[in-house]
């Protein structure tokens, strides 16, 4: 909960009290009376149409359940924190979405396993796969089958749980988000004719910006089969995904030179840890604990390798077969 003041020069300010609280949770954003904590303007993340902020101000545009568009402009000392927190919720809700809207028609040809899709259909995801071919259920036709993930835009809110008149309001992301920290996480998407972001996979875009060139030079040589190699036509997608062999060099460009060797050793320890977790015996647990202690100690000794270790963990849990 953040205490804010209305920006007297901003749009929509005449409809707001001089000061109030903004509550942010997984359910959405609530404008509340500072004294009673009574909510007077609630809205979900899928209703947000615009978000911009800096250290002292935040501007939110959202569409109500009736279809009316509203804008809120406030002054506060936590503008950037509020904006980034909203973007965090939107990002993770989108990443964890199990429901999506079909973006284009898809007619199955000779494969009976494929799911027939029509633009606007609602699909519930039942099973994902690193190949991009997911198993789902078409809510509109009540059919189940395979479809490619690029044909479906994730929805922050399951439209089957809200009224039919509200379904047109659900979007995968807000428009015109200007926060810098999450800019590289945005996936290419179109909402209301406006293009949002321009990336393939979230972590692969981060890798392209912050990983060394050497981190993907051997990407196509470390896969276990030709079929898996062909899954990653983008070398940065391969560099940011799971691999079963040790890395030859560090990942992050800004890692100090005295940490390069430690990074390679730490990645090897992580591989051993993930392998030990398959052993449910007491000996396996003890070995895994020893690896965890080793990785933890490396991060506690000095702050320099912490980002590197974090990227190791994300990489090995991304597209892990």
């Amino acid at each position: 909960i953040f205490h804010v003041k209305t920006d007297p020069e901003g749009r929509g300010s005449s409809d707001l009290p001089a000061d109030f609280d903004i509550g942010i949770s997984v359910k959405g954003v609530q404008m509340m009376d500072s004294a009673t904590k009574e909510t007077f303007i609630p809205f979900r993340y899928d209703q947000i149409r615009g978000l911009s902020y800096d250290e002292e101000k935040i501007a939110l545009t959202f569409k109500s359940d009736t279809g009316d568009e509203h804008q809120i402009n406030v002054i506060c000392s936590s503008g950037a924190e509020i904006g980034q927190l909203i973007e965090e919720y939107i990002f993770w809700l989108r990443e964890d979405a199990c429901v999506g809207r079909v973006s284009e028609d898809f007619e199955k040809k000779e494969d009976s396993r494929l799911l027939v899709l029509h633009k606007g259909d609602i699909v519930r995801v039942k099973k994902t796969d690193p190949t991009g071919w997911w198993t789902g259920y078409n809510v509109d036709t009540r059919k189940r089958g395979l479809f490619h993930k690029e044909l479906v835009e994730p929805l922050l809110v399951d439209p089957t749980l809200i009224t039919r008149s509200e379904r047109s309001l659900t979007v995968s992301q807000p428009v015109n988000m200007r926060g810098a920290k999450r800019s590289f996480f945005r996936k290419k998407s179109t909402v209301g004719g406006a293009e949002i972001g321009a990336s393939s996979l979230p972590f692969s875009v981060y890798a392209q910006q912050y990983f060394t060139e050497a981190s993907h030079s051997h990407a196509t040589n470390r896969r276990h089969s030709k079929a898996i190699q062909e899954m990653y036509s983008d070398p940065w997608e391969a560099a940011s995904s799971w691999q079963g062999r040790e890395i030859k060099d560090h990942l992050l460009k800004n890692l100090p030179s005295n940490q390069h060797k430690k990074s390679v050793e730490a990645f090897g320890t992580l591989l051993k840890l993930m392998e030990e977790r398959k052993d449910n015996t007491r000996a396996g647990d003890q070995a895994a604990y020893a690896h965890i202690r080793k990785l933890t100690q490396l991060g506690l000794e000095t702050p320099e390798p912490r980002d590197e270790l974090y990227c190791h963990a994300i990489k090995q849990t991304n597209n892990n077969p």
Side-chain angles (χ1 to χ4, degrees):
I1 297 178
F2 301 87
H3 185 71
V4 300
K5 294 182 178 180
T6 303
D7 184 355
E9 299 179 358
R11 273 183 54 195
S13 299
S14 59
D15 300 328
L16 297 172
D19 62 293
F20 55 94
D21 288 346
I22 292 182
I24 301 173
S25 70
V26 70
K27 294 181 179 180
V29 181
Q30 295 85 35
M31 307 297 169
M32 304 180 294
D33 182 277
S34 298
T36 66
K37 301 303 179 186
E38 181 179 350
T39 300
F40 57 86
I41 301 180
F43 55 91
R44 305 181 305 270
Y45 294 113
D46 62 288
Q47 293 175 292
I48 297 177
R49 292 298 185 269
L51 170 63
S52 61
Y53 57 85
D54 56 30
E55 294 296 333
E56 299 178 347
K57 291 183 179 181
I58 182 168
L60 272 168
T61 303
F62 69 96
K63 185 169 285 190
S64 67
D65 290 340
T66 60
D68 299 322
E69 192 168 281
H70 305 272
Q71 182 163 334
I72 296 172
N73 291 269
V74 297
I75 302 173
C76 61
S77 58
S78 307
E81 185 177 357
I82 295 173
Q84 289 167 11
L85 186 57
I86 291 174
E87 286 190 328
E88 290 279 346
Y89 271 118
I90 290 171
F91 170 73
W92 289 113
L93 284 170
R94 190 178 197 280
E95 287 293 290
D96 296 337
C98 61
V99 177
R101 177 179 285 118
V102 178
S103 57
E104 59 183 272
D105 292 343
F106 177 74
E107 296 286 346
K108 64 181 180 182
K109 306 235 179 196
E110 299 178 356
D111 195 334
S112 60
R113 297 175 301 168
L114 299 180
L115 184 63
V116 175
L117 301 174
H118 299 289
K119 186 175 181 180
D121 284 354
I122 302 299
V123 174
R124 194 181 301 280
V125 180
K126 296 297 183 182
K127 183 180 178 181
T128 62
D129 190 272
T131 62
W133 286 97
W134 294 357
T135 303
Y137 173 78
N138 190 324
V139 175
D140 294 86
T141 63
R142 299 186 178 182
K143 300 292 185 181
R144 183 187 176 104
L146 293 173
F147 66 94
H148 200 277
K149 66 177 183 178
E150 295 300 329
L151 296 171
V152 176
E153 283 295 330
L155 298 177
L156 301 181
V157 176
D158 185 344
T160 63
L161 301 180
I162 58 179
T163 64
R164 185 168 293 277
S165 62
E166 294 175 305
R167 288 196 184 188
S168 61
L169 303 177
T170 55
V171 296
S172 56
Q173 288 191 164
V175 179
N176 297 328
M177 297 201 307
R178 297 178 184 173
K181 285 194 173 182
R182 282 292 178 191
S183 61
F184 51 79
F185 279 126
R186 297 185 202 143
K187 183 178 180 180
K188 187 175 181 181
S189 174
T190 301
V191 177
E195 187 175 284
I196 306 169
S199 67
S200 52
L201 288 174
F203 193 50
S204 67
V205 181
Y206 178 87
Q208 185 172 4
Q209 186 170 350
Y210 296 105
F211 280 17
T212 65
E213 290 289 333
S215 65
H216 72 73
S217 61
H218 65 296
T220 56
N221 298 323
R222 60 171 169 74
R223 295 287 163 182
H224 296 301
S225 69
K226 184 177 180 181
I228 295 181
Q229 291 178 28
E230 292 174 349
M231 284 167 47
Y232 299 98
S233 56
D234 177 5
W236 291 111
E237 185 174 343
S240 60
S241 299
W242 171 88
Q243 66 181 66
R245 300 178 183 176
E246 295 185 2
I247 56 176
K248 296 181 179 180
D249 204 350
H250 61 103
L251 299 182
L252 294 174
K253 296 176 183 177
N254 62 353
L255 186 70
S257 57
N258 64 344
Q259 297 292 330
H260 291 185
K261 184 177 179 180
K262 291 183 179 180
S263 169
V264 175
E265 294 174 352
F267 192 87
T269 301
L270 181 60
L271 286 178
K272 294 176 184 177
L273 169 61
M274 298 182 80
E275 187 64 31
E276 294 292 350
R277 294 311 298 156
K278 299 177 183 179
D279 183 357
N280 294 323
T281 65
R282 182 178 179 83
D285 288 341
Q286 290 176 338
Y289 179 66
H291 296 320
I292 292 173
R293 283 195 55 144
K294 185 175 181 180
L295 291 172
T296 304
Q297 190 62 37
L298 178 60
L300 290 173
E301 288 176 354
T302 175
E304 285 83 1
R306 292 174 189 170
D307 287 345
E308 178 82 2
L309 295 175
Y310 183 69
C311 286
H312 288 179
I314 298 295
K315 172 183 172 67
Q316 290 304 95
T317 53
N318 186 32
N319 296 323
N320 188 316

